[in-house]
Amino acid sequence: MRAAMAHDYDDIRIEEVPRPECGPDEAIVQVRACGICAGDVTPWFIRRKVPGVVGHEPAGTIVEVGSEVTRFAVGQRVFIHHHAPCYGCRQCQRGFYTMCATWRASRLDPGGIAEFVRVPRTNLEGDTLLLPNYLTFEDGTLIEPAACVVKAFRRAGFTPGQRIAILGLGFIGQVMVRLARYYGAEAIIGSDPIAWRREKALEAGAHVVIDPSLESFPERVKELTDGGADVVMVGPSAPPAMLEGIACAGQGSVVLLFMGPAPGVKLELEPNHLFFNEISLVSSYSAGPDDTRDTLYLIREGILSSDDLVTHRFPLDQTLDACRLTEKAGESLKVLVTLD
């Protein structure tokens, strides 16, 4: 079978690899579509995993199940998460599924952008969801990345009536805008240097969008919110973006750091300002099974849709082009690789 194998950043080749074999408590899924994540185009993140098959946002059809599998059957359309927890350890009991050692060790074989993937028992039982017939495979690819945003709102303690500032209006930022609107935000203020993305955010429900190259986003946020946002979502992982997010924050607020920087990157800030304004810095890493189930509900209800969020589709042979478009961060949102 064919798969998109990364040998380095910007070195992705379509190669013939062995089709995985199905164990007695496993399943084989024929991948129909897989999204490209920001992590797939982040050099330091990719280089620690090469060589390996890229992609971790797949949806497809079960074509084989092991003799011990009872919950799933051949022909079912599914979303499969590349990580799943044990549900029994201390971290799982605390609700921190992404801190679970089993979650971190679990994976799909050989990866999302392959014609077929093996779903181990942990992933099959722990975080595989059936797709209703009225949802497309493209809808299914949104579950994992959008679930990361669902978790971020939970980590930020977002409540109706709050005022939110969002730095970065790519795919993740667009999902943030839609969820903020759905969760009842009083004001949604976004920032992005790309005019096309700012327009998309307005269409999605943002109240005000700012071009940070023309005016100060923190100053505009403070002007519009009487002193600063209640919740600030920082999409980019660069320290300047994080500091800009802190500058947008009002008293008693939460600044959510969504994307992890490379190891060794330092952030220099003024604790005095955080302390006397009771500003909380919160990180949010990936998503657990509770988040994917909540996200499937949001997609079923039409709050999130591939019709609105998927902008480009590439065949398997053009996976590298799909990654390059995602990395460019221009007039695109979610980019998919489709496999027929």
Side-chain angles (χ1 to χ4, degrees):
M1 70 170 190
R2 297 185 303 159
M5 183 72 69
H7 292 270
D8 195 355
Y9 173 71
D10 208 35
D11 182 8
I12 297 174
R13 312 168 197 171
I14 306 306
E15 299 181 354
E16 288 289 336
V17 299
R19 173 173 165 164
E21 297 183 359
C22 186
D25 54 1
E26 301 175 337
I28 302 295
V29 170
Q30 181 179 8
V31 177
R32 299 297 301 276
C34 184
I36 302 295
C37 171
D40 296 323
V41 297
T42 300
W44 71 266
F45 191 76
I46 283 293
R47 285 171 178 152
R48 70 177 188 175
K49 297 186 175 184
V50 296
V53 173
V54 297
H56 57 263
E57 302 172 357
T61 304
I62 295 177
V63 294
E64 185 179 353
V65 295
S67 59
E68 298 176 10
V69 175
T70 58
R71 290 181 51 210
F72 297 94
V74 170
Q76 290 178 326
R77 303 159 66 255
V78 291
F79 152 80
I80 44 177
H81 200 298
H82 60 305
H83 292 307
C86 71
Y87 290 98
C89 70
R90 181 172 181 271
Q91 300 291 14
C92 284
Q93 294 300 313
R94 297 173 62 224
F96 284 89
Y97 295 113
T98 58
M99 301 296 109
C100 168
T102 297
W103 187 94
R104 296 199 169 197
S106 59
R107 60 184 294 270
L108 301 175
D109 175 27
I113 305 182
E115 292 180 314
F116 298 91
V117 300
R118 178 179 64 88
V119 187
R121 173 179 171 272
T122 295
N123 303 69
L124 189 64
E125 295 182 356
D127 205 359
T128 295
L129 304 178
L130 296 178
L131 295 178
N133 290 334
Y134 55 85
L135 295 184
T136 67
F137 290 112
E138 294 190 359
D139 290 322
T141 66
L142 299 184
I143 294 176
E144 193 277 342
C148 297
V149 184
V150 168
K151 178 182 174 181
F153 273 81
R154 178 168 56 82
R155 291 277 292 152
F158 189 87
T159 57
Q162 289 188 319
R163 301 166 179 178
I164 184 170
I166 301 170
L167 281 79
L169 296 172
F171 169 76
I172 292 299
Q174 300 289 332
V175 175
M176 288 176 176
V177 169
R178 284 167 170 79
L179 292 189
R181 181 185 63 182
Y182 176 71
Y183 292 147
E186 179 182 296
I188 306 170
I189 309 165
S191 170
D192 198 285
I194 306 299
W196 183 85
R197 292 185 168 189
R198 295 197 302 272
E199 289 299 319
K200 288 292 184 182
L202 289 173
E203 294 172 8
H207 298 106
V208 179
V209 292
I210 304 299
D211 181 348
S213 67
L214 298 179
E215 58 182 316
S216 168
F217 187 51
E219 290 181 8
R220 195 79 167 97
V221 169
K222 290 178 179 178
E223 174 188 327
L224 294 168
T225 59
D226 298 323
D230 302 312
V231 173
V232 182
M233 296 279 188
V234 183
S237 62
M242 297 178 181
L243 293 175
E244 185 175 358
I246 293 172
C248 292
Q251 293 178 325
S253 62
V254 174
V255 178
L256 189 289
L257 307 180
F258 186 84
M259 183 73 177
V265 171
K266 305 296 183 183
L267 177 65
E268 184 176 345
L269 48 79
E270 184 184 347
N272 179 277
H273 174 71
L274 299 180
F275 182 86
F276 284 102
N277 289 283
E278 295 194 9
I279 297 172
S280 300
L281 291 183
V282 178
S283 63
S284 184
Y285 166 54
S286 194
D290 49 348
D291 307 304
T292 58
R293 283 154 179 77
D294 288 348
T295 303
L296 178 57
Y297 170 81
L298 293 170
I299 295 173
R300 288 171 55 191
E301 294 299 306
I303 309 304
L304 303 173
S305 170
S306 60
D307 291 339
D308 299 324
L309 293 165
V310 175
T311 57
H312 295 78
R313 301 156 182 84
F314 290 83
L316 175 61
D317 291 340
Q318 297 177 22
T319 298
L320 181 56
D321 294 329
C323 291
R324 285 172 172 164
L325 180 62
T326 301
E327 191 274 337
K328 186 179 178 181
E331 295 187 1
S332 68
L333 297 178
K334 178 53 66 176
V335 178
L336 301 184
V337 172
T338 58
L339 300 89
D340 295 326

